[in-house]
Amino acid sequence: MLHKFALPVTHEFGCYFHVTDLDFYYAVVSYYSDNVTDRYNHHIKLGDRVFKFWSKQGGLYNPKTKKLAFEYMLQWTDKEGASKCTYTIKPLFGKGTKTKTGKLLNLPSVGVNIHIQSSYIDLDEHFNIIWEFMRYIDADRFQHSIDRSRSTIYQMARHIRYHEKHEHDMVTMLQAIEKESSMLGDSKLVKTLRSGKYDMYKLDNPNFSVCNINTEYHHSVKSYRITNFLDRRPEDPLRHPKLEVFLKSDSEQNPSINQYLNLKKDLDNLLIKLINFIGPIEYVSDSYFDAEKIFEYRYDLPQWDYKTTTSGVQHIDLGENMQAIKALAFIALQSEGCADFRDIQEGTEIPERSLWRYINHWKAEGILDTVRHQCTQVFFKTRSLWEAAKKPLADLCSVLKIGFKKIFGQYFVDSGIIRPFRERKKNLKPVKTKNVSEMEPIIVDTYQEAKRLSKELKNLGISRMIGVRSNHNTMRYSRVFS
C-alpha cells in the first residue's frame, strides 16, 4: 500500500566547506583590496541574489604578517526576512596557528574554511553560489578545490506546516516519546505554552526506538510556531504550527557533504513516520512550504499507538537479596533517577564487587543502564519506569527497614548506630537535597521554635521552609525561615 505525504522543505542548513588551497583566501583578499571602496556598502550580484560583501578582523594570526587575519562575509536576506544565508570565508594556516587570546592551535591542514549558515536554501544552491562567487572574483580555478569528504554538515532541519487542529495529537505523541525515552542524560525537553497553544514543544535527541523508528543519525524534533502567532488571523498560514526534525550536532560525528543525501533521506523518513502515527493530517501552505507537493512513500511504516500509555504499576523482580534492593532504592531516590557508581557505593556501603553484581542484575532485567564519562553513571532505563518505581521502593525500604529513613520529607541512609541526640546528624547521610519549591513549609507557632527547628534541619542537611503562624506577637516581623 502506498502512502501519500506532503514533501518536506529544508528550513535551516549549516555546513563548513573545506577548500584545500589557501590561495583562494588570498584571491578574496586581492579582490577586496582592489574593488571595495566603501566597506559598509559593497554589493555583489550572484544569480538572482544581491549579497552584501564586507570584512572583519578574525581571531587567528597570519604567521607571515604576524597580524590578525581578516574574515570576509557575503550576506543575503529575502524581502520577507525568512530566507537568508551568510558565507564567512576564513583562512586555515595549519599547525602552530596562534589565536588572539594567546592559544596555540594545531590545525590539521592548510586551506580555507567557508562557514555557511542559511534558511530555505539547499546544498546544491550553495555550491552554485560559491562557484559563481569564484567566477566573479576571477578565481574559478578553485571551483574543484572543495574537498567534500572534509566538508561537514553541522545543522540541517526539514519541516512541514500542519493545521493547528492536529496540534493536540502531535504534542501528545511527542509527550509519549519523551515519557518512554532513555534516561541516558543527553536529551532535553523544552515546553512553552501561550493561551493554551504550544509556542514550542521540543525533544532534544530523544530515543525514537520506543516508537519503532531507527535512524542513521541522531536527530531532535519539535512542534513550534512563529513568535506572534496569536496576533494572526485563523486564515493566516503563520498562525499554524510546524513539525520539524533536525540533526543533533556533534562535532566529532557530523556527516560530511558526501553524506548529504543520506542525511536528507534520514530526516524525511523520521518526519514521515512521526506524521504517520497521527494519521492523515491537513497541511497548510506558506511562502516556503507547498502543501500541494505530494509524494508517495514507498517504504514500510512502523506501527505504534502513542495513546496507549504504560501502566503506572510495573513488575520488578526483587533480585538477589535486600542489598540489591537497597542499591536500586538509592538510585531511585536521587533527584533524576541517576547516581555515580562511587556515590552509590559510599552511600550504601555495599562492597564494590557485590554492587557491580547487583547493577548488572538490574541491567539484565531491563531496569537500569550505565554510561561511562569521567565516572560510571547508573540510571533507570526510562523515565516512566523510574517514576513508577521510586515511591514503592521508598515505601518498601521504610517498612522493611532496609537502611533508609524519611525525616521532614528528606530521605537518609541510616548508619544503624544509635548516638545521643546532640550527635544525631552523625547517624544519617542525606540521599539527596529536596528542592525547596516542591514541598510545603513547616508551620510553627513561635520564632523560638522556628529557630530551633531550623538549626536541627540544617544539621541534618535538609532544605525546607519554616513558617511562623501570624498572630499579634509575630505579625510585625518576617515570618519565614529557611
Side-chain angles (χ1 to χ4, degrees):
M1 180 180 178
L2 297 179
H3 302 270
K4 295 184 178 181
F5 298 93
L7 184 66
V9 296
T10 298
H11 180 201
E12 296 177 332
F13 182 80
C15 71
Y16 297 99
F17 279 0
H18 180 78
V19 182
T20 57
D21 198 331
L22 184 59
D23 285 342
F24 170 63
Y25 171 74
Y26 293 121
V28 176
V29 175
S30 177
Y31 171 84
Y32 189 88
S33 301
D34 295 341
N35 297 277
V36 177
T37 55
D38 185 351
R39 57 179 299 187
Y40 299 107
N41 192 30
H42 187 85
H43 295 83
I44 297 176
K45 185 175 182 181
L46 303 175
D48 57 353
R49 296 182 175 93
V50 178
F51 289 83
K52 181 178 180 181
F53 184 52
W54 56 287
S55 70
K56 67 174 183 177
Q57 198 173 59
L60 301 179
Y61 279 97
N62 187 326
K64 293 183 178 180
T65 64
K66 308 300 181 183
K67 296 180 180 180
L68 287 174
F70 277 75
E71 299 174 354
Y72 296 86
M73 270 68 64
L74 288 163
Q75 283 186 320
W76 170 85
T77 303
D78 72 354
K79 60 182 180 180
E80 296 186 24
S83 180
K84 61 187 72 173
C85 63
T86 301
Y87 303 95
T88 305
I89 302 170
K90 307 176 183 180
L92 301 174
F93 297 114
K95 295 182 179 180
T97 301
K98 292 183 179 180
T99 70
K100 63 180 180 181
T101 59
K103 293 182 179 180
L104 190 66
L105 299 180
N106 286 321
L107 299 177
S109 60
V110 175
V112 180
N113 186 9
I114 305 178
H115 179 193
I116 301 174
Q117 180 66 52
S118 67
S119 299
Y120 299 107
I121 300 177
D122 281 316
L123 178 62
D124 54 349
E125 293 183 80
H126 288 302
F127 271 111
N128 292 335
I129 293 170
I130 292 298
W131 287 338
E132 191 162 348
F133 173 69
M134 289 177 172
R135 284 194 295 270
Y136 189 91
I137 65 172
D138 195 23
D140 50 351
R141 62 190 180 278
F142 300 109
Q143 288 181 351
H144 300 292
S145 298
I146 299 176
D147 189 338
R148 293 171 181 253
S149 63
R150 294 163 67 183
S151 301
T152 57
I153 302 170
Y154 69 89
Q155 182 182 37
M156 186 172 180
R158 300 276 287 175
H159 79 236
I160 56 95
R161 189 181 294 278
Y162 65 95
H163 197 281
E164 63 179 359
K165 67 184 178 182
H166 303 292
E167 186 189 41
H168 177 267
D169 288 335
M170 192 71 74
V171 172
T172 301
M173 177 193 64
L174 297 180
Q175 288 173 337
I177 293 174
E178 195 274 333
K179 187 76 171 179
E180 296 300 326
S181 286
S182 169
M183 290 174 62
L184 183 61
D186 58 354
S187 62
K188 180 176 65 176
L189 169 67
V190 177
K191 181 175 65 174
T192 53
L193 270 170
R194 285 195 292 162
S195 301
K197 297 181 182 296
Y198 282 93
D199 178 28
M200 173 77 72
Y201 195 96
K202 175 185 175 185
L203 298 180
D204 192 12
N205 195 27
N207 181 6
F208 292 108
S209 64
V210 300
C211 52
N212 305 314
I213 297 177
N214 295 312
T215 59
E216 185 176 352
Y217 304 97
H218 296 298
H219 302 307
S220 301
V221 58
K222 62 182 177 181
S223 176
Y224 69 108
R225 286 181 168 91
I226 195 170
T227 303
N228 62 345
F229 72 95
L230 287 175
D231 299 331
R232 298 179 178 271
R233 303 183 306 275
E235 60 272 17
D236 189 335
L238 298 185
R239 181 179 176 85
H240 300 279
K242 290 190 282 189
L243 179 66
E244 182 168 288
V245 293
F246 51 99
L247 176 69
K248 174 68 174 178
S249 181
D250 184 342
S251 59
E252 296 181 357
Q253 298 181 358
N254 284 338
S256 70
I257 294 299
N258 284 332
Q259 299 169 299
Y260 168 76
L261 292 179
N262 286 339
L263 173 60
K264 185 176 180 180
K265 177 183 176 182
D266 202 41
L267 287 167
D268 286 0
N269 280 340
L270 174 58
L271 188 63
I272 295 307
K273 289 173 181 178
L274 291 175
I275 294 172
N276 179 64
F277 293 139
I278 299 176
I281 67 173
E282 182 180 333
Y283 302 98
V284 178
S285 296
D286 58 34
S287 300
Y288 304 96
F289 171 71
D290 186 354
E292 301 302 320
K293 286 187 177 181
I294 303 296
F295 76 104
E296 294 181 344
Y297 190 81
R298 299 174 179 272
Y299 303 95
D300 293 333
L301 291 168
Q303 300 298 316
W304 180 55
D305 186 1
Y306 64 90
K307 296 180 181 178
T308 302
T309 57
T310 305
S311 172
V313 179
Q314 300 187 45
H315 173 71
I316 298 178
D317 188 354
L318 291 182
E320 298 181 19
N321 53 37
M322 292 301 183
Q323 290 289 77
I325 300 174
K326 184 176 182 179
L328 187 64
F330 185 90
I331 301 168
L333 294 174
Q334 302 302 308
S335 60
E336 288 300 328
C338 177
D340 293 345
F341 178 85
R342 291 302 174 191
D343 291 341
I344 303 171
Q345 186 184 8
E346 292 174 5
T348 60
E349 298 181 351
I350 298 174
E352 181 175 347
R353 293 182 63 182
S354 297
L355 181 56
W356 269 121
R357 188 169 68 253
Y358 303 146
I359 290 173
N360 288 332
H361 167 79
W362 295 122
K363 287 179 67 175
E365 292 293 322
I367 305 300
L368 296 180
D369 203 352
T370 59
V371 65
R372 174 76 183 177
H373 293 305
Q374 286 85 4
C375 59
T376 299
Q377 296 174 321
V378 188
F379 51 91
F380 276 76
K381 191 87 173 176
T382 66
R383 177 171 294 276
S384 61
L385 184 60
W386 168 56
E387 292 176 348
K390 61 181 178 180
K391 188 177 186 305
L393 280 170
D395 293 341
L396 179 66
C397 290
S398 178
V399 172
L400 299 183
K401 299 181 179 179
I402 310 178
F404 294 97
K405 287 187 179 296
K406 185 176 182 181
I407 303 174
F408 295 117
Q410 173 74 60
Y411 285 97
F412 293 85
V413 179
D414 191 356
S415 66
I417 302 173
I418 305 301
R419 292 187 174 93
F421 179 81
R422 289 182 180 179
E423 297 183 355
R424 181 178 177 182
K425 62 181 179 179
K426 298 179 181 180
N427 291 347
L428 307 167
K429 292 186 291 184
V431 175
K432 63 175 183 176
T433 302
K434 194 73 175 178
N435 191 326
V436 176
S437 63
E438 295 179 0
M439 306 185 69
E440 294 293 328
I442 302 172
I443 305 299
V444 297
D445 292 321
T446 65
Y447 278 101
Q448 290 77 11
E449 188 176 357
K451 290 179 180 179
R452 180 191 62 77
L453 185 57
S454 177
K455 183 177 180 180
E456 182 178 350
L457 294 182
K458 184 177 181 181
N459 289 335
L460 291 171
I462 298 175
S463 179
R464 188 76 176 269
M465 300 298 292
I466 302 172
V468 179
R469 187 173 285 107
S470 176
N471 56 48
H472 66 282
N473 293 322
T474 61
M475 63 187 301
R476 293 175 297 170
Y477 306 98
S478 171
R479 298 191 296 277
V480 178
F481 284 69
S482 60

